[in-house]
Amino acid sequence: TFNSVSVIATDKTGTLTLGEFNVRSVRFFCKDISEQEKAVQALVSLELNSRHPIAKALVKYFQKKKRVEIKKVEDFEVLSLDG
């Protein structure tokens, strides 16, 4: 189940051709549709608070592709790191 997920990996593309990040496709590693929906909901709910261009691209992709119920995220903190 989704409760046992410890890692969500993403791969992005589009910065060289468009000048901005753009998500072209998403591949899920589980076949269970409800688990995929939970993963998308968690991802969008978390990334919605981010100012990072990759996060914005992910949110834009999923909001365009499907209706996502956004959950309130508490104690969200942006860390600016070098690297």
Side-chain angles (χ1 to χ4, degrees):
T1 66
F2 191 70
N3 291 335
S4 64
V5 172
S6 60
V7 175
I8 297 177
T10 60
D11 184 24
K12 289 74 54 189
T13 187
T15 51
L16 294 177
T17 57
L18 301 175
E20 64 183 33
F21 286 99
N22 183 35
V23 179
R24 294 177 55 189
S25 66
V26 173
R27 183 175 141 203
F28 291 97
F29 292 96
C30 66
K31 297 196 185 306
D32 185 331
I33 299 296
S34 68
E35 294 300 308
Q36 292 176 13
E37 289 173 352
K38 289 177 188 176
V40 169
Q41 182 182 49
L43 178 69
V44 172
S45 295
L46 288 167
E47 298 291 24
L48 188 64
N49 293 302
S50 177
R51 297 184 308 248
H52 196 281
I54 296 172
K56 289 180 181 187
L58 286 165
V59 169
K60 181 179 174 182
Y61 173 84
F62 282 114
Q63 287 182 328
K64 201 189 284 189
K65 289 286 184 186
K66 57 177 74 182
R67 189 181 136 150
V68 178
E69 180 185 346
I70 310 267
K71 295 289 187 179
K72 182 179 179 185
V73 176
E74 297 178 12
D75 298 324
F76 185 86
E77 182 179 355
V78 175
L79 300 175
S80 297
L81 304 172
D82 296 328

